[in-house]
Amino acid sequence: MFSMRAVALVLVCMAVMAEGSKQKLLQEELEDAVLTKTGTKIATSKLFRTGEPVGDFPEPSDPRMNLKSPKKWQATFATNVGSFNVIVHRDWSPKGADRFYSLVMNDFYDGARFFRYADNFVVQWGLKGTPQIDSLYENGANIMDDPQFKSNTKGRITFATSGPNTRSTQVFVNLADNTFLDNQGFTPFGELASEDDLNIFLRKINAEYGEKANQNKIIHEGNQLYLNSHFPHMSYIKSEMVKVLEE
């Protein structure tokens, strides 16, 4: 028979081991973490992932949607017509880069359609097509403008706006040198990584629907009720991932 003292010693050892395992897990989480704009660390396991309940998607004020972008990073988007890479430069547009990073890190663009194709001008996307989520970012989620550092040349990516300080979730890729946009508050925050990436937009993404899709219907009816039935062949994003190039 074990003595009471021996049993107590075993229990203490088990408690110490359990606490050690807990601390190790916490340390691993902190190492695999992202920074908010206030300097707080958030474990990547706490970010939203596709497949989780829609009601769990972070609101605009949630720390998970206020992440600080690395200085330089690559976003890779897998679409139904091929993959493309975007290189984001935080020094081009800090607020824009932070918002885009927050969206990508929370899988916002999964399922998003390329709903606007203006030939020789832009391809636009950035409505998730899930009304419960898009409605969160329709009002009260805008970020302030950044100073203009770079021009809207071919292959660069920029937030869409409806006036000063109205950037939210929608972005576009310039299909041409649209430098006339520079003095209208359209500030590029990144660029397509290569000619192959640009060719996805010029030759692969479906252009047949042009600018026919109604943005308000996308927001309020979503992919299921609106886009899938009226624009069944519209190209879309399947998944997104981040690779940090420079901290």
Side-chain angles (χ1 to χ4, degrees):
M1 296 290 291
F2 291 107
S3 68
M4 292 297 293
R5 184 176 180 182
V7 171
L9 184 59
V10 169
L11 291 175
V12 168
C13 289
M14 290 176 64
V16 169
M17 291 174 64
E19 183 62 25
S21 296
K22 182 179 178 182
Q23 290 298 323
K24 183 179 179 181
L25 286 173
L26 286 173
Q27 182 62 32
E28 289 175 352
E29 278 199 341
L30 287 175
E31 289 174 357
D32 185 22
V34 288
L35 280 178
T36 68
K37 288 182 283 188
T38 60
T40 303
K41 284 188 175 181
I42 296 179
T44 55
S45 61
K46 304 297 183 183
L47 302 176
F48 183 87
R49 288 291 174 260
T50 296
E52 296 178 359
V54 171
D56 291 345
F57 194 86
E59 296 186 2
S61 60
D62 191 301
R64 293 173 293 171
M65 281 302 300
N66 290 274
L67 304 179
K68 183 178 180 179
S69 163
K71 290 182 180 179
K72 184 179 180 182
W73 56 282
Q74 176 178 283
T76 298
F77 295 91
T79 81
N80 67 316
V81 294
S83 296
F84 67 91
N85 299 304
V86 173
I87 304 298
V88 177
H89 304 267
R90 192 175 188 272
D91 59 349
W92 289 14
S93 175
K95 296 182 182 68
D98 288 348
R99 170 55 64 87
F100 192 64
Y101 183 66
S102 300
L103 292 166
V104 173
M105 288 298 292
N106 284 282
D107 286 353
F108 179 87
Y109 293 113
D110 285 14
R113 270 54 174 174
F114 298 96
F115 64 83
R116 182 188 181 198
Y117 197 112
D119 193 38
N120 203 38
F121 181 38
V122 301
V123 174
Q124 187 168 325
W125 78 96
L127 293 172
K128 190 168 181 63
T130 305
Q132 188 173 341
I133 294 176
D134 283 328
S135 61
L136 287 175
Y137 289 83
E138 184 180 11
N139 298 301
N142 296 338
I143 60 174
M144 300 293 287
D145 289 339
D146 283 304
Q148 192 82 29
F149 290 120
K150 297 292 180 178
S151 183
N152 283 275
T153 53
K154 189 175 184 178
R156 286 184 173 166
I157 182 171
T158 305
F159 271 96
T161 76
S162 57
N165 304 314
T166 57
R167 295 180 296 174
S168 181
T169 64
Q170 295 188 46
V171 297
F172 62 82
V173 163
N174 289 287
L175 300 181
D177 290 338
N178 298 318
T179 55
F180 67 93
L181 295 175
D182 296 350
N183 62 2
Q184 299 179 39
F186 294 100
T187 307
F189 59 84
E191 59 193 342
L192 295 175
S194 69
E195 284 294 322
D196 288 340
D197 297 306
L198 180 60
N199 282 334
I200 292 290
F201 287 84
L202 295 176
R203 296 183 172 85
K204 298 291 185 68
I205 289 175
N206 189 2
E208 70 174 293
Y209 302 122
E211 301 182 70
K212 295 178 182 178
N214 184 300
Q215 294 186 33
N216 284 327
K217 287 190 175 182
I218 300 174
I219 293 170
H220 298 293
E221 298 179 26
N223 294 338
Q224 293 291 343
L225 295 179
Y226 178 57
L227 290 182
N228 289 354
S229 58
H230 291 81
F231 308 96
H233 305 299
M234 188 172 280
S235 301
Y236 62 91
I237 292 171
K238 297 195 294 185
S239 65
E240 56 208 289
M241 63 180 294
V242 166
K243 179 181 180 181
V244 176
L245 302 178
E246 185 179 349
E247 296 281 358

